[in-house]
Short mmCIF file of all heavy atoms in Angstrom, two decimals:
data_model
loop_
_atom_site.label_atom_id
_atom_site.label_comp_id
_atom_site.label_asym_id
_atom_site.label_seq_id
_atom_site.Cartn_x
_atom_site.Cartn_y
_atom_site.Cartn_z
N GLN A 1 -40.42 37.70 -35.17
CA GLN A 1 -39.20 37.12 -35.72
C GLN A 1 -39.36 36.78 -37.20
O GLN A 1 -38.37 36.59 -37.89
CB GLN A 1 -38.79 35.89 -34.93
CG GLN A 1 -38.34 36.23 -33.52
CD GLN A 1 -38.18 35.00 -32.67
OE1 GLN A 1 -38.93 34.05 -32.80
NE2 GLN A 1 -37.21 35.02 -31.78
N ARG A 2 -40.60 36.67 -37.67
CA ARG A 2 -40.82 36.39 -39.09
C ARG A 2 -40.90 37.67 -39.91
O ARG A 2 -40.99 37.63 -41.12
CB ARG A 2 -42.13 35.61 -39.25
CG ARG A 2 -42.03 34.19 -38.80
CD ARG A 2 -43.22 33.38 -39.26
NE ARG A 2 -44.49 34.02 -39.02
CZ ARG A 2 -45.29 33.78 -37.98
NH1 ARG A 2 -44.93 32.92 -37.08
NH2 ARG A 2 -46.44 34.39 -37.86
N ALA A 3 -40.87 38.83 -39.26
CA ALA A 3 -40.98 40.10 -39.97
C ALA A 3 -39.75 40.32 -40.85
O ALA A 3 -38.66 39.88 -40.55
CB ALA A 3 -41.12 41.25 -38.98
N VAL A 4 -39.97 41.01 -41.94
CA VAL A 4 -38.88 41.34 -42.87
C VAL A 4 -38.57 42.82 -42.73
O VAL A 4 -39.46 43.66 -42.83
CB VAL A 4 -39.30 41.03 -44.33
CG1 VAL A 4 -38.22 41.46 -45.30
CG2 VAL A 4 -39.62 39.57 -44.49
N TRP A 5 -37.32 43.13 -42.45
CA TRP A 5 -36.92 44.52 -42.31
C TRP A 5 -36.51 45.05 -43.67
O TRP A 5 -35.65 44.49 -44.34
CB TRP A 5 -35.76 44.64 -41.34
CG TRP A 5 -36.17 44.37 -39.94
CD1 TRP A 5 -36.23 43.16 -39.32
CD2 TRP A 5 -36.63 45.31 -38.99
NE1 TRP A 5 -36.68 43.29 -38.04
CE2 TRP A 5 -36.93 44.61 -37.81
CE3 TRP A 5 -36.81 46.68 -39.00
CZ2 TRP A 5 -37.41 45.25 -36.67
CZ3 TRP A 5 -37.28 47.31 -37.87
CH2 TRP A 5 -37.57 46.60 -36.73
N VAL A 6 -37.15 46.13 -44.09
CA VAL A 6 -36.79 46.78 -45.35
C VAL A 6 -36.58 48.26 -45.09
O VAL A 6 -37.14 48.83 -44.16
CB VAL A 6 -37.88 46.59 -46.44
CG1 VAL A 6 -38.00 45.14 -46.84
CG2 VAL A 6 -39.20 47.13 -45.98
N LYS A 7 -35.76 48.88 -45.90
CA LYS A 7 -35.53 50.31 -45.77
C LYS A 7 -36.69 51.05 -46.40
O LYS A 7 -37.19 50.66 -47.46
CB LYS A 7 -34.23 50.71 -46.43
CG LYS A 7 -33.02 50.20 -45.70
CD LYS A 7 -31.75 50.70 -46.33
CE LYS A 7 -30.55 50.18 -45.56
NZ LYS A 7 -29.29 50.66 -46.13
N GLY A 8 -37.10 52.12 -45.76
CA GLY A 8 -38.18 52.95 -46.27
C GLY A 8 -37.68 54.35 -46.57
O GLY A 8 -36.63 54.77 -46.09
N ARG A 9 -38.43 55.05 -47.37
CA ARG A 9 -38.06 56.42 -47.74
C ARG A 9 -39.26 57.31 -47.45
O ARG A 9 -40.39 57.03 -47.87
CB ARG A 9 -37.72 56.47 -49.23
CG ARG A 9 -37.28 57.81 -49.73
CD ARG A 9 -36.82 57.73 -51.18
NE ARG A 9 -37.83 57.16 -52.07
CZ ARG A 9 -38.74 57.89 -52.72
NH1 ARG A 9 -38.78 59.18 -52.60
NH2 ARG A 9 -39.60 57.29 -53.51
N ILE A 10 -39.04 58.39 -46.70
CA ILE A 10 -40.11 59.33 -46.40
C ILE A 10 -40.38 60.15 -47.65
O ILE A 10 -39.49 60.83 -48.17
CB ILE A 10 -39.75 60.24 -45.21
CG1 ILE A 10 -39.59 59.39 -43.95
CG2 ILE A 10 -40.81 61.31 -45.01
CD1 ILE A 10 -39.12 60.16 -42.75
N VAL A 11 -41.61 60.07 -48.15
CA VAL A 11 -41.98 60.77 -49.37
C VAL A 11 -42.57 62.14 -49.05
O VAL A 11 -42.23 63.13 -49.69
CB VAL A 11 -43.00 59.93 -50.18
CG1 VAL A 11 -43.47 60.68 -51.40
CG2 VAL A 11 -42.40 58.59 -50.55
N GLU A 12 -43.43 62.18 -48.05
CA GLU A 12 -44.13 63.42 -47.76
C GLU A 12 -44.48 63.48 -46.28
O GLU A 12 -44.88 62.47 -45.69
CB GLU A 12 -45.41 63.50 -48.60
CG GLU A 12 -46.24 64.72 -48.37
CD GLU A 12 -47.53 64.69 -49.17
OE1 GLU A 12 -47.82 63.68 -49.82
OE2 GLU A 12 -48.25 65.69 -49.11
N VAL A 13 -44.34 64.66 -45.69
CA VAL A 13 -44.77 64.89 -44.32
C VAL A 13 -45.81 66.01 -44.39
O VAL A 13 -45.52 67.11 -44.84
CB VAL A 13 -43.60 65.30 -43.41
CG1 VAL A 13 -44.09 65.59 -42.00
CG2 VAL A 13 -42.55 64.21 -43.39
N GLY A 14 -47.00 65.69 -43.95
CA GLY A 14 -48.08 66.67 -44.02
C GLY A 14 -48.34 67.33 -42.68
O GLY A 14 -47.83 66.92 -41.64
N GLN A 15 -49.16 68.36 -42.72
CA GLN A 15 -49.53 69.05 -41.50
C GLN A 15 -50.93 68.57 -41.11
O GLN A 15 -51.84 68.54 -41.94
CB GLN A 15 -49.54 70.55 -41.74
CG GLN A 15 -49.72 71.36 -40.50
CD GLN A 15 -49.50 72.83 -40.75
OE1 GLN A 15 -49.46 73.27 -41.89
NE2 GLN A 15 -49.38 73.60 -39.70
N PRO A 16 -51.13 68.18 -39.86
CA PRO A 16 -52.44 67.68 -39.47
C PRO A 16 -53.48 68.80 -39.50
O PRO A 16 -53.19 69.95 -39.18
CB PRO A 16 -52.22 67.17 -38.05
CG PRO A 16 -51.00 67.87 -37.56
CD PRO A 16 -50.17 68.16 -38.75
N ALA A 17 -54.68 68.43 -39.93
CA ALA A 17 -55.77 69.40 -39.96
C ALA A 17 -56.21 69.69 -38.53
O ALA A 17 -56.25 68.80 -37.68
CB ALA A 17 -56.93 68.85 -40.78
N HIS A 18 -56.58 70.91 -38.27
CA HIS A 18 -56.98 71.29 -36.92
C HIS A 18 -58.28 70.60 -36.54
O HIS A 18 -59.30 70.74 -37.23
CB HIS A 18 -57.16 72.81 -36.86
CG HIS A 18 -57.55 73.30 -35.49
ND1 HIS A 18 -56.68 73.25 -34.43
CD2 HIS A 18 -58.70 73.81 -35.03
CE1 HIS A 18 -57.29 73.73 -33.37
NE2 HIS A 18 -58.52 74.08 -33.71
N GLY A 19 -58.24 69.82 -35.49
CA GLY A 19 -59.44 69.13 -35.01
C GLY A 19 -59.87 67.96 -35.87
O GLY A 19 -61.01 67.50 -35.77
N ALA A 20 -59.00 67.45 -36.73
CA ALA A 20 -59.37 66.37 -37.64
C ALA A 20 -59.44 65.02 -36.95
O ALA A 20 -60.16 64.15 -37.39
CB ALA A 20 -58.40 66.30 -38.81
N SER A 21 -58.69 64.84 -35.88
CA SER A 21 -58.63 63.53 -35.24
C SER A 21 -58.61 63.69 -33.73
O SER A 21 -58.12 64.68 -33.19
CB SER A 21 -57.36 62.80 -35.69
OG SER A 21 -57.24 61.58 -34.99
N LYS A 22 -59.16 62.72 -33.05
CA LYS A 22 -59.12 62.71 -31.58
C LYS A 22 -57.72 62.33 -31.10
O LYS A 22 -57.33 62.67 -30.00
CB LYS A 22 -60.14 61.72 -31.03
CG LYS A 22 -61.54 62.05 -31.46
CD LYS A 22 -62.26 62.75 -30.36
CE LYS A 22 -63.70 62.92 -30.75
NZ LYS A 22 -64.17 64.26 -30.59
N ARG A 23 -57.00 61.55 -31.90
CA ARG A 23 -55.64 61.15 -31.55
C ARG A 23 -54.65 62.05 -32.28
O ARG A 23 -54.73 62.20 -33.50
CB ARG A 23 -55.39 59.69 -31.93
CG ARG A 23 -56.26 58.73 -31.12
CD ARG A 23 -55.93 57.33 -31.46
NE ARG A 23 -56.34 57.05 -32.83
CZ ARG A 23 -56.20 55.90 -33.43
NH1 ARG A 23 -55.65 54.91 -32.80
NH2 ARG A 23 -56.59 55.73 -34.66
N PRO A 24 -53.70 62.63 -31.56
CA PRO A 24 -52.74 63.51 -32.23
C PRO A 24 -51.78 62.71 -33.11
O PRO A 24 -51.48 61.56 -32.83
CB PRO A 24 -51.98 64.17 -31.07
CG PRO A 24 -52.13 63.22 -29.94
CD PRO A 24 -53.47 62.54 -30.12
N GLY A 25 -51.32 63.32 -34.15
CA GLY A 25 -50.38 62.65 -35.03
C GLY A 25 -50.07 63.51 -36.24
O GLY A 25 -50.76 64.48 -36.53
N ILE A 26 -49.01 63.17 -36.91
CA ILE A 26 -48.59 63.88 -38.12
C ILE A 26 -48.68 62.89 -39.28
O ILE A 26 -48.09 61.82 -39.22
CB ILE A 26 -47.14 64.40 -37.98
CG1 ILE A 26 -47.06 65.38 -36.80
CG2 ILE A 26 -46.67 65.06 -39.25
CD1 ILE A 26 -45.65 65.79 -36.46
N PRO A 27 -49.42 63.24 -40.34
CA PRO A 27 -49.51 62.33 -41.48
C PRO A 27 -48.18 62.25 -42.24
O PRO A 27 -47.61 63.27 -42.61
CB PRO A 27 -50.61 62.93 -42.35
CG PRO A 27 -50.72 64.35 -41.93
CD PRO A 27 -50.26 64.44 -40.51
N VAL A 28 -47.71 61.03 -42.42
CA VAL A 28 -46.44 60.80 -43.11
C VAL A 28 -46.66 59.74 -44.17
O VAL A 28 -47.28 58.72 -43.91
CB VAL A 28 -45.34 60.34 -42.12
CG1 VAL A 28 -44.05 60.03 -42.85
CG2 VAL A 28 -45.11 61.39 -41.05
N THR A 29 -46.14 59.97 -45.37
CA THR A 29 -46.19 58.98 -46.44
C THR A 29 -44.80 58.37 -46.58
O THR A 29 -43.81 59.08 -46.77
CB THR A 29 -46.60 59.63 -47.77
OG1 THR A 29 -47.84 60.31 -47.58
CG2 THR A 29 -46.75 58.60 -48.86
N VAL A 30 -44.72 57.05 -46.48
CA VAL A 30 -43.45 56.33 -46.56
C VAL A 30 -43.52 55.35 -47.72
O VAL A 30 -44.52 54.65 -47.90
CB VAL A 30 -43.16 55.58 -45.25
CG1 VAL A 30 -41.83 54.85 -45.32
CG2 VAL A 30 -43.19 56.52 -44.06
N ALA A 31 -42.46 55.29 -48.53
CA ALA A 31 -42.39 54.37 -49.67
C ALA A 31 -41.42 53.25 -49.33
O ALA A 31 -40.35 53.48 -48.78
CB ALA A 31 -41.93 55.11 -50.92
N PHE A 32 -41.83 52.02 -49.66
CA PHE A 32 -40.99 50.84 -49.44
C PHE A 32 -40.80 50.10 -50.75
O PHE A 32 -41.69 50.09 -51.60
CB PHE A 32 -41.66 49.88 -48.46
CG PHE A 32 -41.83 50.43 -47.10
CD1 PHE A 32 -43.02 51.01 -46.71
CD2 PHE A 32 -40.80 50.37 -46.18
CE1 PHE A 32 -43.19 51.52 -45.44
CE2 PHE A 32 -40.95 50.87 -44.91
CZ PHE A 32 -42.15 51.44 -44.54
N ARG A 33 -39.66 49.47 -50.90
CA ARG A 33 -39.41 48.61 -52.05
C ARG A 33 -39.89 47.21 -51.69
O ARG A 33 -39.71 46.75 -50.57
CB ARG A 33 -37.93 48.58 -52.38
CG ARG A 33 -37.63 47.78 -53.64
CD ARG A 33 -36.18 47.82 -53.99
NE ARG A 33 -35.83 49.18 -54.41
CZ ARG A 33 -34.61 49.56 -54.65
NH1 ARG A 33 -33.60 48.73 -54.52
NH2 ARG A 33 -34.35 50.78 -55.02
N ASP A 34 -40.50 46.53 -52.61
CA ASP A 34 -40.99 45.17 -52.39
C ASP A 34 -39.81 44.25 -52.09
O ASP A 34 -38.90 44.13 -52.92
CB ASP A 34 -41.75 44.69 -53.62
CG ASP A 34 -42.31 43.29 -53.46
OD1 ASP A 34 -42.42 42.82 -52.31
OD2 ASP A 34 -42.65 42.69 -54.48
N PRO A 35 -39.78 43.59 -50.90
CA PRO A 35 -38.63 42.76 -50.58
C PRO A 35 -38.48 41.56 -51.51
O PRO A 35 -37.39 41.02 -51.66
CB PRO A 35 -38.89 42.31 -49.15
CG PRO A 35 -40.29 42.61 -48.87
CD PRO A 35 -40.74 43.64 -49.83
#
C-alpha cells in the first residue's frame, strides 16, 4: 500500500541467449520517470 505507481516506457526488448539462464525469460529494459 506504500508503493508508488508510475508509468513506465519499454525501451528495448532483447532476445535471450541460448542456454544463458536456467530460468526462462526475455530481457526487457524499462525506463521510469522519478516520481
Side-chain angles (χ1 to χ4, degrees):
Q1 292 169 325
R2 287 192 313 263
V4 176
W5 290 87
V6 294
K7 291 184 179 181
R9 182 174 55 91
I10 296 175
V11 176
E12 179 183 6
V13 178
Q15 188 171 14
H18 181 69
S21 175
K22 301 260 186 230
R23 295 183 292 181
I26 299 172
V28 177
T29 305
V30 181
F32 296 96
R33 184 177 292 173
D34 181 18

